[in-house]
Amino acid sequence: HDSFADVPWTNQLVAYVRQILAQARVRLVGVCFGHQIVGRAMGARVGRNDDPAGWEVSVTDVDLTAEGQKVFDEGKDVLSIYQMHKDIVFDYPVGVQPLGSTSLCKVQGMFVPGRVFTVQGHPEFTEEILVEILEVRHEQGVFGDEIYKDAMARAGRRHDGAMVGKRFIEFFLGK
């Protein structure tokens, strides 16, 4: 499945997210596919990454914007997070504060204070989860040897997943 398909269930999900966004009382968090669905619901173009490298996988450094540095409040300019995607939000929707970018994905996170908080990466992943996905996708031919070996070499790197999860909780609590 992908976030940009013109199929009933995806279209219904995008319409539902638009309804949620129209309600000032609801805070919305999106991760990976959810990040893309929120972007699409807010009017951004979503689709396959047209970069020849395509996939962004394993622990990846995201260059934080000034707003991203404030939101993640860790006194650093890079966020390390697990990635597993080939689909992206191409541009930031109107009214969204950009949180960060990589060379393969310009829109790594979106923020609207008190309303929307999304990340393209996977804060919920662990090394074990990532390795299993990498192995299966390599065996299935989704990833070639080069992508697989590079991703496996970075799978055990330190990452900021727990901190991102903490920021999501603080966002829901209005902190």
Side-chain angles (χ1 to χ4, degrees):
H1 301 289
D2 56 58
S3 60
F4 55 89
D6 186 17
V7 295
W9 80 270
T10 306
N11 293 338
Q12 290 170 353
L13 178 58
V14 171
Y16 178 72
V17 170
R18 281 187 185 126
Q19 290 176 351
I20 296 300
L21 290 168
Q23 300 174 31
R25 64 186 180 86
V26 178
R27 296 173 190 264
L28 188 62
V29 165
V31 172
C32 194
F33 181 84
H35 162 81
Q36 296 163 14
I37 290 293
V38 170
R40 181 175 166 187
M42 294 180 81
R45 183 170 67 97
V46 178
R48 291 264 191 275
N49 188 341
D50 52 11
D51 187 290
W55 284 97
E56 189 166 49
V57 298
S58 201
V59 178
T60 303
D61 288 339
V62 173
D63 295 320
L64 295 174
T65 63
E67 188 60 33
Q69 291 173 30
K70 289 179 199 169
V71 168
F72 293 111
D73 191 29
E74 291 292 310
K76 56 185 175 181
D77 55 3
V78 172
L79 176 78
S80 296
I81 191 167
Y82 285 111
Q83 302 278 356
M84 184 60 64
H85 68 99
K86 191 173 185 177
D87 300 343
I88 62 173
V89 178
F90 284 94
D91 296 296
Y92 286 98
V94 173
V96 166
Q97 296 174 356
L99 296 181
S101 64
T102 64
S103 61
L104 286 177
C105 181
K106 178 176 139 183
V107 182
Q108 281 286 342
M110 303 183 295
F111 190 71
V112 177
R115 300 285 296 121
V116 174
F117 189 176
T118 73
V119 294
Q120 178 59 67
H122 286 273
E124 79 282 10
F125 275 18
T126 63
E127 181 179 358
E128 182 181 15
I129 291 168
L130 179 75
V131 166
E132 184 171 336
I133 294 169
L134 289 171
E135 288 174 349
V136 168
R137 289 186 172 181
H138 183 246
E139 289 169 10
Q140 294 173 339
V142 175
F143 300 139
D145 290 341
E146 186 177 337
I147 290 175
Y148 173 74
K149 288 176 185 175
D150 176 61
M152 289 295 283
R154 292 182 287 118
R157 280 187 48 209
R158 184 201 62 77
H159 64 90
D160 297 312
M163 182 270 292
V164 173
K166 180 181 175 186
R167 294 299 179 263
F168 284 166
I169 292 167
E170 291 169 351
F171 172 75
F172 280 130
L173 295 174
K175 295 183 178 181

